[in-house]
Amino acid sequence: MAMRLCYRRCFIFEVVREFWLSFKSFLDKNFFGPDTENPCFVAASPAMKDLSGIIKNLSVSSSPVLIQGERGSGKTLYAFQIFLNSETSSGFYIVNSDNFDLEKAVKLSGATLFFRHIEEFSSELQSEIYEFLKLNVQNKLGIKTIFSSVSLLDSLVESNQFSRELFMRLNSFPIRIKPLRERKEDIASLSEMYLSLYKKKWGKKELLFSKKSEEFLLNYTWPGNVSELRTVIERAVILEEEEVLSSKNLFVSGSAKAENSFAGNSLEESVNTVVSAEEKEDLSLKTGLNSFKRKYIKMILEQNDWNQTKASKVLDIQRTYLTRLIGELDIRR
């Protein structure tokens, strides 16, 4: 128990040399202190309340956990919460598609490894991870493994884009985090939590939402999910000069426009927008998805002057994975 409190209050983590460990803004200690609320458990919707209970049960299980959900929905937060509730885990390590090392991983006995966006791992790495999972069981290493995915892995398996063997291993305990637009009951409580956090952070203790602000927050579709909500509210708190937070300061990204770019189009018109004339002879789902990826990634690259580092941040993927996609999809200037 003393060790768990140390993790909660101090965030002291054991780091294995040369094993890359990444901490993002979700590790803001304000979220995980003993006297503050955690966004994982600020929920009014039945689905998220049930998920909170499931997380506690998964913390004591030795089987791999698969967390699926859209970008920004909080997959890393939930993975970290599983770690916090574990009695035995000695460290929390985030593994990306460019830093997995089998030899180093097997030395992390008793740790929690979080494989972020497992669908971005190459087929070779998927095979190594499958072997690692077998070694973990056979040698009783006691390493807890959590995986996250934006894509539906069963669909990728059917299109031969993901290892069937690995999927069968990961699918022992699959959980899905609903996008914010499907659980609007949670928006008010999450918004209040973030407002409380950021008005203290920025010294604006009397700040409240205006009625129009509340209406906007509830009616917006939040394509960036909880991460977007958090960013929008912090930015609004910083900009607001009055004691009531005005809706004019609730700026949202252009993602809403992108989300509705096909609005009003017929199915055929939408397909024509995505699929080139040469590709229309093959109307498989794989061809359509690759066509969309090619055009979308090229658009983001052009908006960032073909700087792959900047573009990968916008796309929220590793730069090495973006480089691989550019090659696989034959994206050219």
Side-chain angles (χ1 to χ4, degrees):
M1 179 59 73
M3 180 66 73
R4 289 182 63 205
L5 289 176
C6 179
Y7 284 131
R8 283 181 181 275
R9 300 186 183 190
C10 306
F11 289 97
I12 298 174
F13 294 92
E14 173 188 357
V15 180
V16 174
R17 189 174 180 80
E18 298 179 1
F19 192 87
W20 188 74
L21 175 61
S22 169
F23 294 110
K24 296 185 73 175
S25 60
F26 75 91
L27 282 181
D28 184 335
K29 62 184 178 182
N30 290 308
F31 287 158
F32 297 100
D35 301 320
T36 56
E37 293 178 292
N38 184 319
C40 291
F41 300 107
V42 178
S45 62
M48 300 312 288
K49 286 182 177 179
D50 290 344
L51 187 55
S52 299
I54 292 171
I55 290 295
K56 293 176 182 178
N57 293 330
L58 292 176
S59 299
V60 299
S61 169
S62 60
S63 298
V65 177
L66 174 61
I67 305 175
Q68 300 181 91
E70 294 181 1
R71 295 190 186 277
S73 57
K75 297 182 294 296
T76 309
L77 278 168
Y78 280 94
F80 190 73
Q81 194 61 40
I82 292 173
F83 158 71
L84 285 180
N85 279 277
S86 174
E87 295 286 349
T88 58
S89 191
S90 59
F92 182 78
Y93 300 89
I94 298 178
V95 187
N96 291 303
S97 58
D98 60 353
N99 73 332
F100 178 70
D101 187 308
L102 179 60
E103 291 184 3
K104 291 182 174 67
V106 295
K107 297 176 182 178
L108 295 172
S109 180
T112 295
L113 297 191
F114 175 50
F115 294 81
R116 188 170 178 266
H117 298 170
I118 186 62
E119 71 270 37
E120 295 178 2
F121 286 62
S122 66
S123 56
E124 291 79 12
L125 282 177
Q126 290 175 30
S127 297
E128 284 193 27
I129 292 168
Y130 177 73
E131 292 302 318
F132 165 69
L133 292 176
K134 289 200 299 184
L135 288 171
N136 189 30
V137 174
Q138 292 170 1
N139 297 340
K140 298 181 180 179
L141 301 177
I143 301 173
K144 187 162 192 62
T145 53
I146 309 171
F147 299 80
S148 78
S149 169
V150 174
S151 307
L152 293 174
L153 294 185
D154 51 354
S155 298
L156 295 181
V157 169
E158 293 305 316
S159 58
N160 296 317
Q161 293 180 292
F162 194 82
S163 165
R164 185 177 295 275
E165 285 184 324
L166 180 57
F167 174 67
M168 296 305 292
R169 285 267 180 174
L170 305 189
N171 208 35
S172 301
F173 287 101
I175 61 175
R176 176 178 177 262
I177 302 175
K178 284 189 173 184
L180 201 51
R181 64 181 176 276
E182 292 183 13
R183 50 184 179 99
K184 291 202 169 187
E185 312 99 295
D186 295 331
I187 293 176
S189 53
L190 284 168
S191 298
E192 288 293 342
M193 187 203 72
Y194 285 129
L195 178 63
S196 176
L197 172 68
Y198 290 123
K199 69 183 184 182
K200 290 177 184 176
K201 179 178 179 180
W202 296 103
K204 300 183 178 182
K205 296 182 179 179
E206 304 303 320
L207 194 58
L208 300 171
F209 286 119
S210 69
K211 186 174 181 180
K212 284 189 176 180
S213 293
E214 292 176 342
E215 290 175 353
F216 172 82
L217 293 170
L218 290 172
N219 293 325
Y220 181 57
T221 56
W222 299 110
N225 291 294
V226 178
S227 292
E228 184 181 14
L229 176 68
R230 174 183 174 178
T231 301
V232 166
I233 291 177
E234 181 174 21
R235 183 168 53 215
V237 170
I238 294 170
L239 293 173
E240 188 57 66
E241 297 178 351
E242 306 295 335
E243 292 186 356
V244 177
L245 197 151
S246 170
S247 60
K248 69 180 182 181
N249 288 323
L250 292 170
F251 300 116
V252 294
S253 67
S255 54
K257 294 180 181 178
E259 181 187 47
N260 296 318
S261 60
F262 297 134
N265 288 355
S266 67
L267 177 60
E268 185 175 356
E269 289 171 333
S270 298
V271 171
N272 289 338
T273 303
V274 174
V275 182
S276 65
E278 295 80 7
E279 293 170 326
K280 285 180 183 175
E281 293 182 4
D282 178 7
L283 292 178
S284 66
L285 179 61
K286 182 178 179 180
T287 297
L289 290 172
N290 285 341
S291 297
F292 175 78
K293 286 180 183 178
R294 186 179 299 110
K295 291 189 177 183
Y296 187 75
I297 291 172
K298 185 175 182 180
M299 178 187 75
I300 298 300
L301 284 165
E302 289 173 345
Q303 290 176 356
N304 290 275
D305 298 321
W306 288 83
N307 184 310
Q308 291 187 28
T309 300
K310 292 181 179 178
S312 63
K313 289 181 179 179
V314 174
L315 293 165
D316 194 22
I317 59 176
Q318 296 297 310
R319 184 191 58 76
T320 51
Y321 181 53
L322 175 59
T323 302
R324 197 171 93 218
L325 286 174
I326 291 172
E328 290 177 354
L329 299 171
D330 193 25
I331 299 173
R332 303 177 186 179
R333 291 196 183 209

